[in-house]
Amino acid sequence: MGADIAAQVAAVRAEMLTRPGGLVRHVERVLREALDLAATWDLDPGRTELATWGHDLFRAFAPEEQLRLARETGVPVYPEDERSPVLLHGPIAAAVLHERFAVTDEEALAAVRDHTLGDRRMPLLAKVILIADKVEEHKRRRAYAMRAVRRLAHRDLDLALLCWADWKWVDERTHGWESHPLHWAARTEWVREHHAELAMPGRISDAEFDASAVGVRFQSFQSGF
Ligand SMILES: [Fe+2]
Ligand SMILES: [Fe+2]
């Protein structure tokens, strides 16, 4: 771990340790998952630790305090955030990490900012932190589907994100909760990417296709089929 990152991790961890014990234990469980995933996906453990210690710094703050901090740090506030200010704790933490803790690692900041709702385009580190946050031991005991998401995340991180988003969709509809537009935009993009033929060979023109098909028929004819 570089000296800069080590000093930032120590400072952010010290701040997190001033928060309620239950929340600190959650972050410790997330850290175990995040480091496991970081090893699978060849991510720097120091940057992973920095984003993990920082992600819930403002999770336990009162709703009115979260709204105040969001306005103070210039975080955009959607009507959905007004109704549920806890959704702002990631973006607030990212802003404070940048301003007060001098964190300049854009991917670590994105990981902190987007760990609740996700984003259309996420660096690997952000995907790891989001999934680790959702599959830590207590959460996968509460929601069985998170066990499958956890296993999947070590094989296909994007598919794990999409499965989590599907589970979240069902959960929100079941409880009559609204979906945040930022999450919905991210989810829509993940679905589109999943169905895009990214792994398929490039498309060819109809004429090229017909020519190749004639070749195949001719060879088949010659070989007696
Ligand atoms: Fe959080
Ligand atoms: Fe968390």
Side-chain angles (χ1 to χ4, degrees):
M1 200 188 300
D4 274 7
I5 296 261
Q8 287 173 353
V9 168
V12 174
R13 180 175 177 275
E15 180 79 9
M16 188 64 218
L17 293 180
T18 68
R19 304 305 198 242
L23 184 59
V24 172
R25 287 190 289 281
H26 157 70
V27 173
E28 287 167 346
R29 290 192 298 273
V30 174
L31 185 58
R32 280 197 288 278
E33 298 299 322
L35 289 175
D36 262 9
L37 282 167
T40 296
W41 295 106
D42 201 20
L43 270 174
D44 177 60
R47 299 172 65 221
T48 306
E49 219 179 302
L50 179 62
T52 306
W53 282 115
H55 84 283
D56 272 349
L57 269 181
F58 297 94
R59 175 68 179 77
F61 279 43
E64 59 277 11
E65 193 61 0
Q66 286 173 338
L67 281 170
R68 187 187 63 77
L69 281 166
R71 296 202 169 102
E72 202 175 284
T73 52
V75 165
V77 177
Y78 287 70
E80 289 76 6
D81 302 321
E82 303 257 10
R83 292 191 283 274
S84 187
V86 69
L87 296 172
L88 294 164
H89 74 277
I92 294 169
V96 171
L97 286 176
H98 180 61
E99 285 167 23
R100 189 142 63 84
F101 292 86
V103 175
T104 52
D105 181 332
E106 289 296 333
E107 295 187 356
L109 293 173
V112 170
R113 186 187 63 223
D114 300 325
H115 81 270
T116 306
L117 300 176
D119 194 17
R120 290 164 188 256
R121 293 266 175 270
M122 296 171 79
L124 192 55
L125 181 56
K127 294 175 183 176
V128 161
I129 299 298
L130 188 152
I131 294 289
D133 185 48
K134 308 302 176 282
V135 305
E136 59 95 334
E137 198 184 339
H138 280 203
K139 291 191 182 172
R140 63 180 188 267
R141 225 182 283 153
R142 278 207 301 265
Y144 192 82
M146 291 307 105
R147 296 186 191 193
V149 169
R150 179 181 188 240
R151 238 188 354 258
L152 184 56
H154 285 273
R155 215 177 65 204
D156 187 334
L157 208 43
D158 291 323
L159 193 54
L161 272 177
L162 189 50
C163 287
W164 163 73
D166 272 355
W167 171 85
K168 182 176 165 66
W169 183 18
V170 172
D171 198 43
E172 286 169 348
R173 291 305 164 275
T174 304
H175 290 94
W177 298 331
E178 59 188 346
S179 297
H180 195 289
L182 289 181
H183 172 71
W184 200 253
R187 181 200 140 74
T188 305
E189 177 66 10
W190 299 345
V191 170
R192 195 197 62 75
E193 275 182 4
H194 180 70
H195 291 289
E197 295 172 332
L198 295 178
M200 301 288 280
R203 288 177 186 278
I204 58 172
S205 69
D206 287 352
E208 276 177 290
F209 179 79
D210 286 345
S212 66
V214 167
V216 169
R217 273 205 301 277
F218 181 65
Q219 282 167 14
S220 301
F221 175 74
Q222 281 193 320
S223 60
F225 288 101

